Amino acid sequence: MTDEKIRDVIMIGAGPSALAAAVYTTREDIDTVLYEKGAIGGLAAITDMVDNYPGFPDGIEGMTLAAQLEKQAERFGAHIEFGEISAIRDEGDIKVVTVDGVEQKAKTVLIATGSDWKKIGVPGEAEYYGRGVHYCATCDGAFYRDKRLVVIGGGNSALQEAIFLTRFTTHIDLLVRSTIKASEVLQHDLDRYVEQGKITVHLDTNTDEIVATDGKITSVKATKAGVPTVFETDGVFVFVGLKPNTQFIAGSGIELDELGLIKTDSRMQTNVPGIFASGDVRSGATTQIASAVGEGATAALSIREYLDEQSRA
């Protein structure tokens, strides 16, 4: 089944990057529709408090920020609809996106589906997300000034984030399931913090449960070298990787990096003309709301230029 209407742009996802892009496109009368399969605002909408987004000196609740971005995009005429994308196809001047089994057509497409943090899948992780369990040190580390933390992971991101968190915390227990797999440079950096007593590394340690009392994280139950162990903590940061939301682009010809993130140039253009990507789904993204919004603006300007060039062709 095909909807014969041809939009100027279909945006896949309705997180901060796509919503920012929609503000730019719709203000210039570019016919724009956004398709979202989950929560409008993406991961920002389910973040308890955003403390590092410019313009909010006291911070802002993630849900409130998402609602304001949505309202602004709709003010200029963006159409936001719920639907799941299963495929995208390039037909030259026209791009075809399959939404809930129906083919929708557009002259351009912006992919801004973001990424999901990989989970460790233990009791307490989902229940206390944003309320003691976190996946972004830059976003949430400052809430744990003079507190004790558990960091879970042994790759590059885990070591980078653990080292960053030392500027706030009194002590970090780094729980590593097997051995540290980070680069030698990062391991060398980590050694300095271990020697200073700021980080204690626990190898061969499996996390079993995140425990809370009266709604506040108090400890992590783990098994260290086969022995049950409890780590007291005020919060938990999990860094075991990102899973980009790119499953639907299989067979589309869009180029991905080794992590499955979409490759673009500095103008957010993919290797397929007329298809753009921005935000956390893009290779090289910083996984910050502010930069995702900036990339959305850049993508929108590139889309406008592409449409202008096509109209002159």
Side-chain angles (χ1 to χ4, degrees):
M1 184 177 178
T2 303
D3 184 341
E4 293 303 321
K5 180 182 175 77
I6 299 176
R7 301 272 191 179
D8 288 329
V9 57
I10 288 175
M11 296 185 181
I12 306 175
S17 195
L19 291 170
V23 169
Y24 275 75
T25 57
T26 52
R27 285 184 75 242
E28 299 194 27
D29 296 323
I30 296 172
D31 184 24
T32 303
V33 61
L34 298 84
Y35 289 105
E36 173 59 57
K37 71 173 184 178
I40 294 174
L43 289 176
I46 54 174
T47 299
D48 185 40
M49 181 65 69
V50 178
D51 222 24
N52 59 350
Y53 190 81
F56 298 95
D58 299 318
I60 183 171
E61 291 183 350
M63 186 177 295
T64 301
L65 177 61
Q68 291 186 3
L69 289 168
E70 176 188 6
K71 187 176 181 180
Q72 187 176 16
E74 290 183 328
R75 171 189 164 202
F76 295 111
H79 303 280
I80 303 176
E81 302 181 14
F82 288 97
E84 184 162 3
I85 311 301
S86 58
I88 180 171
R89 186 171 75 250
D90 175 37
E91 293 188 350
D93 292 342
I94 300 299
K95 319 301 172 186
V96 181
V97 176
T98 304
V99 186
D100 292 337
V102 179
E103 291 189 340
Q104 306 285 354
K105 295 182 177 181
K107 299 172 185 175
T108 62
V109 172
L110 172 62
I111 302 172
T113 47
S115 295
D116 287 331
W117 292 294
K118 289 183 180 179
K119 311 299 192 298
I120 53 175
V122 301
E125 182 181 21
E127 295 88 333
Y128 295 101
Y129 167 67
R131 296 183 298 123
V133 177
H134 309 276
Y135 301 85
C136 175
T138 306
C139 309
D140 302 316
F143 294 119
Y144 292 92
R145 198 174 298 277
D146 300 324
K147 302 289 186 181
R148 189 181 183 100
L149 290 174
V150 162
V151 171
I152 299 171
N156 286 339
S157 62
L159 268 62
Q160 288 171 335
E161 301 283 39
I163 289 170
F164 174 82
L165 287 167
T166 60
R167 67 185 65 190
F168 306 112
T169 66
T170 58
H171 186 265
I172 291 171
D173 285 299
L174 180 64
L175 311 189
V176 184
R177 186 174 60 180
S178 54
T179 59
I180 291 177
K181 297 180 174 62
S183 68
E184 290 186 10
V185 172
L186 280 172
Q187 291 190 50
H188 180 71
D189 289 343
L190 175 67
D191 289 342
R192 296 206 320 268
Y193 291 89
V194 170
E195 291 169 2
Q196 294 169 11
K198 294 182 177 181
I199 298 176
T200 301
V201 179
H202 304 272
L203 303 178
D204 192 19
T205 301
N206 288 306
T207 304
D208 300 322
E209 182 180 359
I210 298 169
V211 181
T213 302
D214 297 328
K216 292 185 177 181
I217 302 297
T218 56
S219 64
V220 170
K221 291 182 179 179
T223 304
K224 182 177 180 179
V227 179
T229 308
V230 175
F231 298 95
E232 293 184 358
T233 187
D234 297 296
V236 178
F237 282 78
V238 179
F239 303 113
V240 293
L242 281 170
K243 179 182 179 183
N245 296 316
T246 55
Q247 299 85 348
F248 63 92
I249 72 170
S252 66
I254 297 171
E255 190 175 359
L256 306 177
D257 69 9
E258 65 277 6
L259 300 176
L261 296 162
I262 299 173
K263 290 185 177 182
T264 73
D265 61 17
S266 62
R267 301 293 294 170
M268 308 300 130
Q269 169 73 63
T270 71
N271 63 303
V272 179
I275 298 181
F276 302 80
S278 65
D280 292 0
V281 76
R282 190 184 71 84
S283 180
T286 62
T287 67
Q288 298 297 303
I289 299 172
S291 53
V293 165
E295 289 187 7
T298 298
L301 296 174
S302 297
I303 287 168
R304 181 193 66 188
E305 292 172 4
Y306 177 87
L307 290 171
D308 286 346
E309 289 172 2
Q310 294 301 105
S311 66
R312 291 193 297 266

Short mmCIF file of all heavy atoms in Angstrom, two decimals, residues 110-169:
data_model
loop_
_atom_site.label_atom_id
_atom_site.label_comp_id
_atom_site.label_asym_id
_atom_site.label_seq_id
_atom_site.Cartn_x
_atom_site.Cartn_y
_atom_site.Cartn_z
N LEU A 110 15.30 12.76 6.72
CA LEU A 110 16.25 12.96 7.82
C LEU A 110 16.09 11.81 8.81
O LEU A 110 14.99 11.60 9.35
CB LEU A 110 16.00 14.29 8.54
CG LEU A 110 16.82 14.51 9.82
CD1 LEU A 110 18.32 14.53 9.51
CD2 LEU A 110 16.40 15.77 10.55
N ILE A 111 17.16 11.07 9.03
CA ILE A 111 17.14 9.98 10.01
C ILE A 111 17.69 10.53 11.32
O ILE A 111 18.84 10.94 11.40
CB ILE A 111 17.98 8.79 9.53
CG1 ILE A 111 17.46 8.29 8.18
CG2 ILE A 111 17.94 7.67 10.57
CD1 ILE A 111 18.35 7.23 7.53
N ALA A 112 16.86 10.57 12.33
CA ALA A 112 17.26 11.08 13.64
C ALA A 112 16.67 10.18 14.72
O ALA A 112 16.00 10.64 15.64
CB ALA A 112 16.80 12.53 13.82
N THR A 113 16.93 8.89 14.56
CA THR A 113 16.33 7.88 15.44
C THR A 113 17.11 7.65 16.72
O THR A 113 16.66 6.90 17.59
CB THR A 113 16.20 6.55 14.68
OG1 THR A 113 17.44 6.26 14.02
CG2 THR A 113 15.10 6.63 13.65
N GLY A 114 18.29 8.26 16.84
CA GLY A 114 19.04 8.15 18.08
C GLY A 114 19.61 6.76 18.32
O GLY A 114 19.60 5.88 17.46
N SER A 115 20.12 6.60 19.51
CA SER A 115 20.66 5.31 19.96
C SER A 115 20.11 5.01 21.34
O SER A 115 19.71 5.92 22.07
CB SER A 115 22.20 5.36 20.02
OG SER A 115 22.75 5.54 18.74
N ASP A 116 20.09 3.75 21.68
CA ASP A 116 19.70 3.33 23.02
C ASP A 116 20.93 2.81 23.75
O ASP A 116 21.77 2.12 23.16
CB ASP A 116 18.65 2.21 22.98
CG ASP A 116 17.30 2.73 22.55
OD1 ASP A 116 17.00 3.91 22.81
OD2 ASP A 116 16.53 1.96 21.94
N TRP A 117 21.05 3.16 25.03
CA TRP A 117 22.13 2.61 25.82
C TRP A 117 21.92 1.11 26.01
O TRP A 117 20.81 0.66 26.31
CB TRP A 117 22.20 3.29 27.18
CG TRP A 117 22.60 4.73 27.09
CD1 TRP A 117 23.79 5.25 26.69
CD2 TRP A 117 21.78 5.86 27.41
NE1 TRP A 117 23.79 6.61 26.75
CE2 TRP A 117 22.57 7.02 27.19
CE3 TRP A 117 20.47 6.01 27.89
CZ2 TRP A 117 22.09 8.30 27.40
CZ3 TRP A 117 19.99 7.28 28.10
CH2 TRP A 117 20.79 8.41 27.86
N LYS A 118 22.98 0.36 25.84
CA LYS A 118 22.88 -1.07 26.12
C LYS A 118 22.67 -1.27 27.62
O LYS A 118 23.29 -0.59 28.44
CB LYS A 118 24.14 -1.80 25.66
CG LYS A 118 24.28 -1.89 24.15
CD LYS A 118 25.52 -2.67 23.75
CE LYS A 118 25.65 -2.76 22.24
NZ LYS A 118 26.87 -3.50 21.85
N LYS A 119 21.80 -2.17 27.96
CA LYS A 119 21.46 -2.41 29.36
C LYS A 119 22.15 -3.69 29.85
O LYS A 119 22.51 -4.57 29.07
CB LYS A 119 19.94 -2.56 29.52
CG LYS A 119 19.11 -1.46 28.87
CD LYS A 119 19.41 -0.09 29.43
CE LYS A 119 18.39 0.96 29.00
NZ LYS A 119 18.34 1.20 27.55
N ILE A 120 22.32 -3.78 31.17
CA ILE A 120 22.90 -4.99 31.73
C ILE A 120 21.80 -5.95 32.16
O ILE A 120 22.06 -7.12 32.42
CB ILE A 120 23.84 -4.67 32.91
CG1 ILE A 120 23.14 -3.79 33.96
CG2 ILE A 120 25.10 -4.00 32.40
CD1 ILE A 120 23.98 -3.54 35.20
N GLY A 121 20.56 -5.46 32.24
CA GLY A 121 19.41 -6.33 32.45
C GLY A 121 19.28 -6.94 33.83
O GLY A 121 18.85 -8.09 33.96
N VAL A 122 19.65 -6.18 34.86
CA VAL A 122 19.53 -6.71 36.22
C VAL A 122 18.39 -6.02 36.94
O VAL A 122 17.98 -4.91 36.57
CB VAL A 122 20.85 -6.50 37.01
CG1 VAL A 122 22.00 -7.20 36.30
CG2 VAL A 122 21.15 -5.02 37.21
N PRO A 123 17.84 -6.65 38.00
CA PRO A 123 16.77 -6.02 38.78
C PRO A 123 17.22 -4.65 39.31
O PRO A 123 18.35 -4.49 39.76
CB PRO A 123 16.54 -7.01 39.91
CG PRO A 123 16.98 -8.33 39.38
CD PRO A 123 18.15 -8.02 38.49
N GLY A 124 16.34 -3.68 39.21
CA GLY A 124 16.63 -2.34 39.70
C GLY A 124 17.11 -1.39 38.63
O GLY A 124 17.00 -0.17 38.78
N GLU A 125 17.62 -1.93 37.52
CA GLU A 125 18.17 -1.06 36.48
C GLU A 125 17.08 -0.22 35.82
O GLU A 125 17.18 1.01 35.75
CB GLU A 125 18.91 -1.87 35.42
CG GLU A 125 19.54 -1.01 34.32
CD GLU A 125 20.24 -1.83 33.27
OE1 GLU A 125 19.93 -3.04 33.14
OE2 GLU A 125 21.09 -1.27 32.56
N ALA A 126 16.05 -0.89 35.33
CA ALA A 126 14.97 -0.16 34.66
C ALA A 126 14.14 0.65 35.64
O ALA A 126 13.73 1.77 35.35
CB ALA A 126 14.07 -1.15 33.90
N GLU A 127 13.91 0.08 36.82
CA GLU A 127 13.06 0.73 37.81
C GLU A 127 13.61 2.08 38.27
O GLU A 127 12.84 3.01 38.57
CB GLU A 127 12.87 -0.16 39.04
CG GLU A 127 12.11 -1.46 38.77
CD GLU A 127 13.01 -2.60 38.32
OE1 GLU A 127 14.09 -2.35 37.74
OE2 GLU A 127 12.63 -3.76 38.55
N TYR A 128 14.93 2.20 38.31
CA TYR A 128 15.54 3.41 38.86
C TYR A 128 16.31 4.21 37.81
O TYR A 128 17.15 5.03 38.16
CB TYR A 128 16.41 3.06 40.06
CG TYR A 128 15.58 2.50 41.18
CD1 TYR A 128 15.52 1.12 41.42
CD2 TYR A 128 14.80 3.33 41.97
CE1 TYR A 128 14.72 0.60 42.42
CE2 TYR A 128 13.99 2.82 42.97
CZ TYR A 128 13.96 1.46 43.18
OH TYR A 128 13.15 0.94 44.17
N TYR A 129 15.96 3.98 36.53
CA TYR A 129 16.58 4.78 35.48
C TYR A 129 16.26 6.26 35.72
O TYR A 129 15.11 6.65 35.91
CB TYR A 129 16.06 4.37 34.10
CG TYR A 129 16.44 5.37 33.03
CD1 TYR A 129 17.77 5.54 32.66
CD2 TYR A 129 15.47 6.16 32.42
CE1 TYR A 129 18.13 6.47 31.71
CE2 TYR A 129 15.82 7.10 31.47
CZ TYR A 129 17.15 7.25 31.12
OH TYR A 129 17.50 8.19 30.18
N GLY A 130 17.30 7.09 35.70
CA GLY A 130 17.12 8.53 35.92
C GLY A 130 16.93 8.91 37.36
O GLY A 130 16.86 10.09 37.70
N ARG A 131 16.85 7.92 38.23
CA ARG A 131 16.65 8.18 39.67
C ARG A 131 17.70 7.43 40.48
O ARG A 131 17.42 6.87 41.53
CB ARG A 131 15.24 7.78 40.11
CG ARG A 131 14.14 8.59 39.44
CD ARG A 131 12.77 8.23 39.95
NE ARG A 131 12.42 6.84 39.67
CZ ARG A 131 12.08 5.95 40.59
NH1 ARG A 131 12.08 6.29 41.88
NH2 ARG A 131 11.75 4.73 40.25
N GLY A 132 18.91 7.41 39.94
CA GLY A 132 19.99 6.69 40.60
C GLY A 132 20.76 5.79 39.67
O GLY A 132 21.89 5.41 39.96
N VAL A 133 20.15 5.45 38.53
CA VAL A 133 20.82 4.67 37.49
C VAL A 133 20.95 5.56 36.26
O VAL A 133 19.95 6.09 35.77
CB VAL A 133 20.05 3.39 37.15
CG1 VAL A 133 20.74 2.63 36.01
CG2 VAL A 133 19.92 2.49 38.37
N HIS A 134 22.17 5.71 35.76
CA HIS A 134 22.43 6.66 34.68
C HIS A 134 23.34 6.05 33.62
O HIS A 134 24.04 5.07 33.86
CB HIS A 134 23.08 7.93 35.24
CG HIS A 134 22.35 8.53 36.41
ND1 HIS A 134 21.28 9.38 36.25
CD2 HIS A 134 22.53 8.37 37.74
CE1 HIS A 134 20.83 9.74 37.45
NE2 HIS A 134 21.57 9.14 38.37
N TYR A 135 23.34 6.71 32.44
CA TYR A 135 24.15 6.24 31.32
C TYR A 135 24.96 7.37 30.70
O TYR A 135 25.54 7.20 29.63
CB TYR A 135 23.24 5.62 30.25
CG TYR A 135 22.42 4.46 30.77
CD1 TYR A 135 21.20 4.67 31.42
CD2 TYR A 135 22.86 3.14 30.64
CE1 TYR A 135 20.46 3.62 31.91
CE2 TYR A 135 22.12 2.09 31.12
CZ TYR A 135 20.92 2.33 31.77
OH TYR A 135 20.19 1.29 32.26
N CYS A 136 25.01 8.53 31.34
CA CYS A 136 25.73 9.68 30.79
C CYS A 136 26.35 10.48 31.92
O CYS A 136 25.64 11.15 32.68
CB CYS A 136 24.77 10.56 29.98
SG CYS A 136 25.53 12.08 29.37
N ALA A 137 27.68 10.40 32.04
CA ALA A 137 28.38 11.10 33.12
C ALA A 137 28.31 12.61 32.94
O ALA A 137 28.12 13.35 33.91
CB ALA A 137 29.83 10.65 33.18
N THR A 138 28.44 13.08 31.70
CA THR A 138 28.37 14.52 31.45
C THR A 138 27.01 15.07 31.83
O THR A 138 26.91 16.18 32.37
CB THR A 138 28.65 14.81 29.96
OG1 THR A 138 29.89 14.21 29.58
CG2 THR A 138 28.70 16.29 29.70
N CYS A 139 25.96 14.29 31.57
CA CYS A 139 24.60 14.75 31.87
C CYS A 139 24.32 14.76 33.37
O CYS A 139 23.71 15.70 33.89
CB CYS A 139 23.58 13.83 31.20
SG CYS A 139 23.84 13.55 29.45
N ASP A 140 24.73 13.72 34.07
CA ASP A 140 24.24 13.50 35.43
C ASP A 140 25.31 13.44 36.52
O ASP A 140 24.98 13.34 37.70
CB ASP A 140 23.42 12.19 35.47
CG ASP A 140 22.26 12.22 34.49
OD1 ASP A 140 21.57 13.26 34.44
OD2 ASP A 140 22.03 11.22 33.79
N GLY A 141 26.58 13.50 36.14
CA GLY A 141 27.64 13.36 37.13
C GLY A 141 27.61 14.41 38.22
O GLY A 141 27.86 14.11 39.39
N ALA A 142 27.25 15.64 37.87
CA ALA A 142 27.28 16.74 38.85
C ALA A 142 26.27 16.55 39.98
O ALA A 142 26.39 17.18 41.04
CB ALA A 142 27.04 18.08 38.16
N PHE A 143 25.29 15.69 39.78
CA PHE A 143 24.32 15.41 40.85
C PHE A 143 24.95 14.60 41.98
O PHE A 143 24.33 14.44 43.04
CB PHE A 143 23.11 14.65 40.30
CG PHE A 143 22.28 15.44 39.31
CD1 PHE A 143 22.12 14.99 38.01
CD2 PHE A 143 21.69 16.63 39.67
CE1 PHE A 143 21.37 15.70 37.09
CE2 PHE A 143 20.93 17.36 38.76
CZ PHE A 143 20.77 16.90 37.47
N TYR A 144 26.14 14.08 41.76
CA TYR A 144 26.76 13.18 42.73
C TYR A 144 28.03 13.77 43.33
O TYR A 144 28.96 13.06 43.66
CB TYR A 144 27.03 11.82 42.08
CG TYR A 144 25.73 11.10 41.78
CD1 TYR A 144 25.12 11.25 40.54
CD2 TYR A 144 25.09 10.34 42.74
CE1 TYR A 144 23.91 10.64 40.26
CE2 TYR A 144 23.88 9.72 42.48
CZ TYR A 144 23.29 9.88 41.24
OH TYR A 144 22.09 9.28 40.98
N ARG A 145 28.01 15.07 43.50
CA ARG A 145 29.14 15.73 44.14
C ARG A 145 29.28 15.24 45.59
O ARG A 145 28.31 15.19 46.34
CB ARG A 145 28.94 17.24 44.12
CG ARG A 145 30.21 18.04 44.37
CD ARG A 145 29.94 19.52 44.17
NE ARG A 145 29.52 19.84 42.82
CZ ARG A 145 30.34 20.03 41.80
NH1 ARG A 145 31.66 19.89 42.00
NH2 ARG A 145 29.89 20.33 40.60
N ASP A 146 30.50 14.81 45.94
CA ASP A 146 30.80 14.30 47.29
C ASP A 146 30.01 13.04 47.63
O ASP A 146 29.74 12.76 48.79
CB ASP A 146 30.55 15.38 48.35
CG ASP A 146 31.41 16.61 48.14
OD1 ASP A 146 32.57 16.45 47.70
OD2 ASP A 146 30.92 17.73 48.38
N LYS A 147 29.66 12.26 46.60
CA LYS A 147 28.97 10.99 46.80
C LYS A 147 29.84 9.83 46.33
O LYS A 147 30.85 10.02 45.65
CB LYS A 147 27.65 10.98 46.02
CG LYS A 147 26.68 12.10 46.37
CD LYS A 147 26.07 11.91 47.73
CE LYS A 147 25.00 12.97 47.99
NZ LYS A 147 24.39 12.82 49.33
N ARG A 148 29.42 8.64 46.68
CA ARG A 148 30.13 7.42 46.26
C ARG A 148 29.35 6.80 45.10
O ARG A 148 28.11 6.77 45.11
CB ARG A 148 30.21 6.44 47.44
CG ARG A 148 31.09 5.23 47.18
CD ARG A 148 31.10 4.29 48.38
NE ARG A 148 32.00 3.18 48.16
CZ ARG A 148 33.23 3.09 48.65
NH1 ARG A 148 33.70 4.08 49.41
NH2 ARG A 148 34.00 2.05 48.40
N LEU A 149 30.08 6.29 44.09
CA LEU A 149 29.43 5.75 42.91
C LEU A 149 29.97 4.37 42.54
O LEU A 149 31.12 4.03 42.85
CB LEU A 149 29.64 6.67 41.70
CG LEU A 149 28.90 8.01 41.70
CD1 LEU A 149 29.35 8.84 40.51
CD2 LEU A 149 27.40 7.80 41.68
N VAL A 150 29.12 3.62 41.83
CA VAL A 150 29.53 2.40 41.15
C VAL A 150 29.44 2.67 39.65
O VAL A 150 28.43 3.20 39.17
CB VAL A 150 28.63 1.21 41.52
CG1 VAL A 150 28.77 0.08 40.50
CG2 VAL A 150 28.98 0.69 42.90
N VAL A 151 30.51 2.34 38.93
CA VAL A 151 30.52 2.41 37.47
C VAL A 151 30.66 1.00 36.94
O VAL A 151 31.51 0.23 37.42
CB VAL A 151 31.66 3.31 36.96
CG1 VAL A 151 31.79 3.20 35.45
CG2 VAL A 151 31.43 4.76 37.37
N ILE A 152 29.84 0.65 35.95
CA ILE A 152 29.84 -0.71 35.40
C ILE A 152 30.32 -0.67 33.95
O ILE A 152 29.76 0.05 33.13
CB ILE A 152 28.43 -1.33 35.48
CG1 ILE A 152 27.98 -1.40 36.95
CG2 ILE A 152 28.41 -2.71 34.84
CD1 ILE A 152 26.53 -1.79 37.12
N GLY A 153 31.36 -1.44 33.66
CA GLY A 153 31.89 -1.51 32.31
C GLY A 153 33.41 -1.54 32.32
O GLY A 153 34.04 -1.13 33.29
N GLY A 154 34.00 -2.01 31.21
CA GLY A 154 35.45 -2.10 31.14
C GLY A 154 36.04 -1.67 29.82
O GLY A 154 37.23 -1.87 29.57
N GLY A 155 35.21 -1.03 28.99
CA GLY A 155 35.69 -0.55 27.70
C GLY A 155 36.13 0.91 27.76
O GLY A 155 36.24 1.51 28.84
N ASN A 156 36.38 1.48 26.59
CA ASN A 156 36.85 2.87 26.53
C ASN A 156 35.89 3.84 27.19
O ASN A 156 36.29 4.71 27.96
CB ASN A 156 37.07 3.28 25.07
CG ASN A 156 38.31 2.67 24.46
OD1 ASN A 156 39.22 2.25 25.18
ND2 ASN A 156 38.36 2.61 23.15
N SER A 157 34.59 3.71 26.87
CA SER A 157 33.63 4.67 27.42
C SER A 157 33.54 4.55 28.94
O SER A 157 33.42 5.56 29.64
CB SER A 157 32.24 4.46 26.79
OG SER A 157 31.73 3.18 27.08
N ALA A 158 33.61 3.34 29.47
CA ALA A 158 33.52 3.16 30.92
C ALA A 158 34.69 3.84 31.63
O ALA A 158 34.50 4.52 32.64
CB ALA A 158 33.48 1.66 31.27
N LEU A 159 35.89 3.67 31.08
CA LEU A 159 37.05 4.30 31.71
C LEU A 159 37.02 5.82 31.57
O LEU A 159 37.31 6.55 32.52
CB LEU A 159 38.35 3.74 31.12
CG LEU A 159 38.93 2.53 31.88
CD1 LEU A 159 37.98 1.35 31.86
CD2 LEU A 159 40.28 2.14 31.29
N GLN A 160 36.65 6.29 30.38
CA GLN A 160 36.56 7.73 30.16
C GLN A 160 35.56 8.36 31.13
O GLN A 160 35.84 9.40 31.75
CB GLN A 160 36.14 8.02 28.72
CG GLN A 160 37.23 7.75 27.69
CD GLN A 160 36.71 7.84 26.28
OE1 GLN A 160 35.53 7.64 26.02
NE2 GLN A 160 37.60 8.11 25.34
N GLU A 161 34.41 7.75 31.25
CA GLU A 161 33.34 8.32 32.09
C GLU A 161 33.69 8.20 33.56
O GLU A 161 33.41 9.10 34.35
CB GLU A 161 32.01 7.64 31.78
CG GLU A 161 31.54 7.73 30.35
CD GLU A 161 30.96 9.09 29.98
OE1 GLU A 161 31.49 10.13 30.44
OE2 GLU A 161 29.97 9.12 29.24
N ALA A 162 34.31 7.09 33.96
CA ALA A 162 34.71 6.92 35.35
C ALA A 162 35.72 8.00 35.74
O ALA A 162 35.62 8.61 36.82
CB ALA A 162 35.28 5.53 35.58
N ILE A 163 36.70 8.23 34.87
CA ILE A 163 37.70 9.26 35.15
C ILE A 163 37.04 10.63 35.23
O ILE A 163 37.36 11.44 36.12
CB ILE A 163 38.80 9.23 34.07
CG1 ILE A 163 39.66 7.97 34.23
CG2 ILE A 163 39.67 10.48 34.13
CD1 ILE A 163 40.61 7.70 33.08
N PHE A 164 36.10 10.91 34.33
CA PHE A 164 35.37 12.18 34.38
C PHE A 164 34.62 12.34 35.70
O PHE A 164 34.60 13.42 36.30
CB PHE A 164 34.39 12.26 33.21
CG PHE A 164 33.49 13.47 33.24
CD1 PHE A 164 33.94 14.70 32.77
CD2 PHE A 164 32.21 13.39 33.75
CE1 PHE A 164 33.12 15.82 32.81
CE2 PHE A 164 31.38 14.50 33.80
CZ PHE A 164 31.83 15.72 33.31
N LEU A 165 34.01 11.27 36.17
CA LEU A 165 33.20 11.33 37.40
C LEU A 165 34.03 11.60 38.65
O LEU A 165 33.49 12.04 39.67
CB LEU A 165 32.41 10.03 37.56
CG LEU A 165 31.23 9.85 36.60
CD1 LEU A 165 30.72 8.40 36.64
CD2 LEU A 165 30.09 10.81 36.94
N THR A 166 35.34 11.34 38.58
CA THR A 166 36.17 11.58 39.77
C THR A 166 36.20 13.04 40.17
O THR A 166 36.52 13.36 41.32
CB THR A 166 37.62 11.09 39.55
OG1 THR A 166 38.19 11.79 38.43
CG2 THR A 166 37.66 9.59 39.31
N ARG A 167 35.86 13.94 39.28
CA ARG A 167 35.86 15.36 39.63
C ARG A 167 34.71 15.71 40.57
O ARG A 167 34.71 16.78 41.17
CB ARG A 167 35.80 16.23 38.37
CG ARG A 167 34.51 16.14 37.58
CD ARG A 167 34.62 16.94 36.28
NE ARG A 167 35.62 16.37 35.39
CZ ARG A 167 36.04 16.98 34.29
NH1 ARG A 167 35.56 18.15 33.94
NH2 ARG A 167 36.95 16.40 33.51
N PHE A 168 33.74 14.79 40.70
CA PHE A 168 32.60 15.04 41.58
C PHE A 168 32.59 14.12 42.80
O PHE A 168 32.27 14.56 43.90
CB PHE A 168 31.28 14.83 40.82
CG PHE A 168 31.17 15.62 39.55
CD1 PHE A 168 31.17 14.99 38.31
CD2 PHE A 168 31.09 17.00 39.57
CE1 PHE A 168 31.07 15.70 37.13
CE2 PHE A 168 30.99 17.74 38.40
CZ PHE A 168 30.98 17.09 37.18
N THR A 169 32.94 12.87 42.63
CA THR A 169 32.69 11.86 43.64
C THR A 169 33.83 11.74 44.65
O THR A 169 34.94 12.20 44.43
CB THR A 169 32.49 10.48 42.99
OG1 THR A 169 33.72 10.09 42.38
CG2 THR A 169 31.41 10.53 41.93
#
